[in-house]
Amino acid sequence: MHIGIFDSGFGGLTVFRSIRARLPQYDYIYLGDNARTPYGNRSFDAIFRFSRECVDMLFERRCKLVIIACNTASAKALRTLQQKVLPLEHPDRRVLGIIRPSAEALASLSDTRTVALWATEGTVKSMSYPMELEKAAPQLTVIQQACPMLVPLVENGELNGSALDYFIEKYWRETLQTAASQSTSAQALPRIPPTGVSQSACGIDALLLACTHYPLIQTSIRRILPPEIKVLTQGEIVAPSLENYLLRHPEIEQALSRTGSQRFLTTDQTEGFDHLAETFLGHAVLSEKVGI
Ligand code: DGL
């Protein structure tokens, strides 16, 4: 049986890339719901229905375990899938999300006090990260920032350039403004310039890219943010977390086949998928179109 990786589109490929680099022995099926992406600003009902259909499709293709490599779907659909759907319909299969491992990774950063989190509107509004972090790391202050323009820019191949820089600067400025207004000692904070990027981090010491598309523009983000801010991506978090999960669940691990294969499915045109997937993975991809 295989490991399935599902995302609303291309973004999950950043997670897939890290998982496969760490665990190359297993067989993988990646499914991108490109025909219905982005999920970021859709309703709970729509995201749940889409996620359920995609997970079912991966189960039909002999996936023992499905990683929902999409923050928006993890935030809105994972719990219901795990608690209501799996016990009744697929008691021998597992679905894992990427929010909990990310929150645990943040909790383990001993020198971090205030973390900023960039995500889609859906992820931010779900409050999933603040709730997970409240359990895993109650000492952390969390600054959430919705970045609705970043996914469309990435999907259109704008991986660097002035349009992208404009929005990164805007979202960083807004992040700093939120941090300043949340701080109880706002007077002690340096002033935030009205335009341009502040030299100050307003107490923020780490930024989690809590949307699977954002690692693709990490170089621009890194260039614009002050160098003292740690920038965390989810591939580097989820891959060791999956390895650890498989060690703790030999009944799942032993059901997995090991020929090192990878297969790519998309709900939209394969040409577009193959082209952008190549950007994400750095090698040629031949995907198959699936209808949902
Ligand atoms: N993959 C989604 C996430 O990580 C972003 C793309 C979308 O909005 O569908 O939240």
Side-chain angles (χ1 to χ4, degrees):
M1 297 189 86
H2 311 296
I3 296 178
I5 298 185
F6 150 61
D7 180 52
S8 58
F10 297 105
L13 288 168
T14 59
V15 174
F16 169 70
R17 187 179 52 192
S18 301
I19 290 178
R20 189 151 189 277
R22 192 165 183 116
L23 303 166
Q25 66 272 38
Y26 300 117
D27 295 308
Y28 294 94
I29 305 181
Y30 181 92
L31 170 59
D33 192 7
N34 299 81
R36 301 185 291 196
T37 200
Y39 283 12
N41 47 10
R42 289 188 188 271
S43 68
F44 174 91
D45 290 348
I47 293 170
F48 175 70
R49 183 161 50 85
F50 296 171
S51 303
R52 182 180 186 163
E53 287 168 355
C54 289
V55 167
D56 276 346
M57 175 167 284
L58 287 167
F59 283 162
E60 278 163 25
R61 284 165 174 74
R62 297 185 49 77
C63 288
K64 180 77 177 168
L65 171 72
V66 172
I67 316 293
I68 300 191
C70 171
N71 290 276
T72 313
S74 293
K76 298 207 174 186
L78 178 69
R79 189 179 294 260
T80 314
L81 283 170
Q82 285 177 331
Q83 294 179 355
K84 302 230 163 88
V85 178
L86 288 197
L88 289 176
E89 295 177 20
H90 308 282
D92 61 330
R93 311 291 175 98
R94 295 292 176 273
V95 182
L96 305 176
I98 57 174
I99 293 182
R100 179 167 295 173
S102 302
E104 285 168 357
L106 287 176
S108 70
L109 297 174
S110 54
D111 52 348
T112 297
R113 293 283 164 273
T114 302
V115 63
L117 193 148
W118 284 8
T120 65
E121 258 175 51
T123 301
V124 167
K125 282 192 187 142
S126 74
M127 295 298 283
S128 296
Y129 273 99
M131 285 188 296
E132 280 297 335
L133 283 165
E134 181 58 35
K135 286 182 257 163
Q139 77 284 1
L140 271 185
T141 301
V142 187
I143 313 290
Q144 294 203 96
Q145 174 69 43
C147 305
M149 282 306 292
L150 297 186
V151 168
L153 283 166
V154 172
E155 292 274 337
N156 284 289
E158 296 284 336
L159 303 181
N160 47 51
S162 54
L164 180 66
D165 288 356
Y166 171 85
F167 283 104
I168 293 172
E169 289 180 10
K170 168 179 153 61
Y171 293 138
W172 178 240
R173 212 164 47 240
E174 289 173 9
T175 306
L176 293 177
Q177 278 158 357
T178 309
S181 65
Q182 279 188 18
S183 170
T184 48
S185 56
Q187 281 178 334
L189 291 168
R191 266 178 65 83
I192 302 165
T195 56
V197 177
S198 168
Q199 295 308 304
S200 148
C202 275
I204 297 169
D205 27 35
L207 169 70
L208 174 69
L209 303 184
C211 171
T212 49
H213 280 61
Y214 302 170
L216 265 285
I217 51 170
Q218 195 185 346
T219 309
S220 299
I221 294 173
R222 187 62 286 173
R223 183 165 41 75
I224 288 169
L225 263 59
E228 67 270 21
I229 308 271
K230 282 189 286 289
V231 177
L232 304 167
T233 60
Q234 292 180 297
E236 62 190 331
I237 294 170
V238 174
S241 160
L242 175 61
E243 184 175 36
N244 184 273
Y245 175 88
L246 292 173
L247 279 172
R248 287 184 289 110
H249 294 87
E251 74 288 2
I252 305 285
E253 203 276 339
Q254 279 156 22
L256 298 175
S257 53
R258 294 172 183 74
T259 67
S261 69
Q262 48 179 337
R263 202 173 149 197
F264 298 92
L265 310 179
T266 173
T267 55
D268 206 351
Q269 292 180 28
T270 54
E271 297 78 12
F273 184 92
D274 295 350
H275 178 70
L276 210 54
E278 209 174 308
T279 314
F280 276 69
L281 297 176
H283 62 73
V285 167
L286 265 186
S287 60
E288 302 157 48
K289 184 167 188 236
V290 287
I292 287 206

